[in-house]
């Protein structure tokens, strides 16, 4: 009854793997149908469902000669031969199906089963010879499926020599050479094909993960752009609207000037948003300094702007423009300051921008950790610079940005090109 339990276990394993293979195949087909419904072409590079032990089952037909000898009564002690054939097939199926899962493939139980398969193959080959020697190439195939790595070559050579020696003892040297060659080739080719298939799938998974991360980073970049654009623009609109409301009862001309500025800021914001969406918005430090003066004056904050040093690289200007925009927005919205100093100092190796106010010492609504300042710190770090922000020693709040003289051009490939002025993606 032991062999009957082995048969039942063998059948259950085959059914489980068959269900798993069908499920993978159905997922692959569903993905292709979804691609077609979206109007796209099917992904021809998709390798389809992962291979399973079913791809190695047809090679068991190499043992049909032994099975035929059993049915025709040419095998002495047929019960022993039949049990040996059943045990060999069961161990072969067990080993090959576990070979497609890395954890199972490297487990001790799989290695023990492979060792038992080798002993059983040796016993059947020495006991019967002839067509029973064909189990050595099957052993090589199972070995190649399980042993992948630096030990495969040595193991394949030793297994081939061993198969040739056993064939020579049981049969003749001519057959020994063929058996050794077949065993070696089956082990090496199987390992090469399965390793290549596994590598292709890992590379595809890595490519999909990189694509997913690229989408997430682009969303983060765009959200930072919108924050920096709309946060500053809306703050200027609010401040100038309040100024127009205060001026309207006593100075209509000044109020209309503020309203004209609001219209101009709104139109400029629309242009910048369109350019940000298309990905080609260029920043200018001079433009941002001019806007900063206007926004600070409208908020009744005295602007003081100082700039010294050599002309800056375009990418450096773009990054410093972002810092001016964010820092001035925070001064207008949160500081309640009466004076704001903006200093740009260019040296041979480093450029420093400092924005200092005399307000209540809070640069954002809740301190120095606002979303805008965090985004700026990440952006400057990607360009090889740094951003510090915090309460000034004599009161107020200070934002300091340091950049290499080469700016983003010396930072990384991601910081060059038309997107260099945007948050790192």
């Amino acid at each position: 009854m032991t062999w009957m339990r082995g048969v039942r276990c063998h059948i259950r394993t085959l059914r489980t793997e068959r269900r798993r293979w069908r499920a993978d195949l159905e997922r692959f087909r569903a993905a292709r149908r979804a691609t077609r419904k979206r109007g796209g072409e099917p992904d021809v590079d998709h390798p389809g469902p992962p291979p399973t032990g079913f791809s190695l089952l047809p090679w068991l037909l190499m043992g049909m000669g032994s099975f035929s000898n059993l049915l025709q009564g040419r095998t002495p002690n047929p019960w022993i031969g039949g049990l040996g054939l059943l045990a060999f097939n069961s161990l072969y199926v067990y080993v090959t199906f576990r070979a497609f899962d890395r954890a199972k493939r490297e487990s001790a139980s799989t290695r023990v089963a492979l060792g038992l398969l080798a002993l059983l193959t040796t016993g059947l080959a020495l006991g019967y010879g002839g067509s029973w020697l064909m189990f050595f190439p099957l052993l090589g195939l199972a070995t190649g499926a399980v042993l992948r790595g630096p030990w495969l070559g040595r193991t394949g050579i030793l297994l081939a020599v061993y198969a040739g020696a056993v064939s020579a003892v049981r049969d003749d040297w001519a057959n020994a050479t063929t058996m050794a060659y077949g065993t070696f080739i089956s082990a090496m080719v199987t390992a090469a094909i399965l390793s290549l298939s596994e590598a292709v799938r890992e590379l595809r998974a890595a490519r999909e993960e990189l694509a997913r991360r690229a989408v997430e980073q682009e969303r983060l970049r765009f959200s930072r752009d919108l924050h920096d654009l709309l946060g500053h623009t809306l703050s200027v609109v609010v401040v100038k609207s309040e100024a127009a409301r205060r001026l309207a009862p006593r100075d209509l001309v000044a109020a209309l000037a503020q309203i004209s500025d609001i219209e101009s800021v709104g139109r400029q914001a629309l242009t910048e948003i369109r350019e940000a969406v298309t990905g080609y918005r260029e920043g200018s430090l001079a433009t941002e300094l001019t806007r900063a003066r206007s926004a600070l004056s409208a908020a009744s904050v005295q602007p003081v702007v100082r700039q010294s040093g050599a002309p800056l690289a375009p990418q450096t200007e773009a990054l410093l423009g972002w810092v001016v925009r964010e820092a001035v927005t925070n001064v207008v919205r949160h500081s309640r300051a009466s004076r704001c100093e903006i200093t740009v100092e260019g040296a041979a190796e480093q450029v420093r921008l400092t924005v200092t106010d005399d307000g209540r010492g809070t640069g954002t609504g809740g301190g120095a950790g606002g979303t805008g300042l965090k985004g700026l710190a990440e952006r400057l770090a990607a360009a090889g610079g740094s951003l510090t922000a915090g309460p000034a020693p004599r009161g107020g709040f200070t934002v300091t940005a340091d950049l290499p003289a080469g700016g983003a051009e010396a930072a990384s490939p991601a910081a060059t090109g038309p997107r260099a002025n945007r948050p790192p993606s």
Side-chain angles (χ1 to χ4, degrees), residues 340-353:
C340 178
E341 296 184 6
I342 304 174
T343 305
V344 182
E345 300 172 326
E349 297 181 354
Q350 191 178 43
V351 180
R352 169 168 289 186
L353 167 69

Side-chain angles (χ1 to χ4, degrees), residues 6-360:
V7 171
R8 294 192 187 99
C9 181
H10 178 58
I11 293 174
R12 283 197 299 269
T13 302
L14 289 177
R15 288 176 176 173
T16 301
E17 294 297 334
R18 187 165 176 262
R19 285 194 297 269
R20 184 182 304 171
W21 177 79
R22 282 187 171 180
D24 291 333
L25 182 60
E26 183 58 33
R27 283 195 294 269
F28 170 63
R29 289 174 176 172
R32 288 175 64 90
R33 289 194 296 268
T35 303
R36 290 193 181 97
K37 287 180 180 179
R38 291 194 299 266
E41 291 295 326
D43 192 351
V44 295
D45 293 331
H46 198 291
T52 64
F54 284 105
S55 59
L56 300 180
L57 285 185
W59 295 102
L60 284 175
L61 294 175
M62 295 174 64
M64 285 300 295
S66 305
F67 185 68
S68 177
N69 290 339
L70 281 174
L71 292 180
Q72 296 175 9
R74 300 180 187 176
T75 303
N77 300 317
W79 283 102
I80 296 178
L83 290 175
L85 184 61
L86 176 62
F88 179 89
N89 290 339
S90 300
L91 286 172
Y92 177 86
V93 171
Y94 178 81
V95 170
T96 54
F97 273 91
R98 292 175 67 86
F100 291 89
D101 186 303
R102 177 169 296 181
K104 294 179 180 179
R105 182 171 68 236
E106 296 176 353
S107 65
S109 59
T110 303
R111 304 300 172 89
V112 170
L114 184 62
L116 293 176
L117 186 65
L119 292 177
L120 183 59
T121 302
T122 303
L124 293 175
L126 289 174
Y128 295 106
S131 58
W132 295 81
L133 293 172
M134 295 301 295
F135 288 154
F136 272 112
L138 288 173
L139 175 62
L141 191 148
T143 302
V146 173
L147 300 180
R148 307 178 202 173
W151 290 97
L152 176 63
R154 302 175 188 177
T155 305
I157 293 174
L158 291 176
L159 184 60
V161 172
Y162 179 71
V166 172
S167 300
V169 170
R170 189 61 180 84
D171 212 339
D172 53 52
W173 282 104
N175 192 32
T177 304
T178 303
M179 201 58 59
Y181 177 76
T183 302
F184 179 76
I185 289 298
S186 63
M188 302 306 293
V189 171
T190 301
I193 292 176
L194 295 183
S195 298
L196 180 61
S197 174
E198 192 173 275
V200 168
R201 292 183 176 281
E202 290 177 353
L203 288 174
R204 180 176 180 81
R207 185 177 67 179
E208 292 176 350
E209 177 65 17
L210 289 175
R212 184 186 63 81
R213 291 186 179 183
V215 171
E216 291 179 354
Q217 290 172 355
E218 183 65 12
R219 288 174 178 170
L220 178 61
R221 179 203 66 78
F222 193 71
S223 67
R224 288 172 178 168
D225 263 6
L226 288 181
H227 172 274
D228 292 341
L229 281 171
L230 297 181
H232 173 80
T233 302
L234 294 178
S235 296
V236 172
V237 168
V238 170
V239 170
K240 287 185 173 292
S241 298
E242 292 175 348
R245 178 175 53 81
R246 291 196 303 268
L247 291 171
R250 63 177 186 272
D251 191 345
L252 185 59
V253 175
L256 290 175
Q258 294 293 335
I259 294 174
S260 177
D261 288 345
I262 292 173
E263 180 183 2
S264 175
V265 169
R267 293 182 183 277
Q268 183 63 31
L270 288 174
T271 302
E272 290 182 345
I273 289 175
R274 293 190 188 103
E275 292 173 348
V277 170
T278 56
Y280 290 99
R281 184 166 57 85
E282 293 293 336
S284 169
L285 180 59
T287 301
E288 294 300 337
L289 290 175
T290 302
R291 294 175 181 173
R293 288 191 183 96
S294 176
L296 291 171
S297 299
S300 301
V301 179
Q302 179 186 355
V304 179
V305 180
R306 303 185 183 94
Q307 188 169 4
S308 61
L312 304 178
Q315 307 304 336
T316 304
E317 281 205 9
L319 288 171
L320 294 181
W322 282 107
V323 178
V324 171
R325 174 187 288 263
E326 179 65 25
V328 170
T329 300
N330 290 334
V331 171
V332 171
R333 293 174 59 188
H334 307 298
S335 69
R336 299 179 184 175
S338 61
R339 178 185 174 90
C340 178
E341 296 184 6
I342 304 174
T343 305
V344 182
E345 300 172 326
E349 297 181 354
Q350 191 178 43
V351 180
R352 169 168 289 186
L353 167 69
T354 306
V355 181
T356 304
D357 65 70
D358 60 353
R360 58 182 183 177

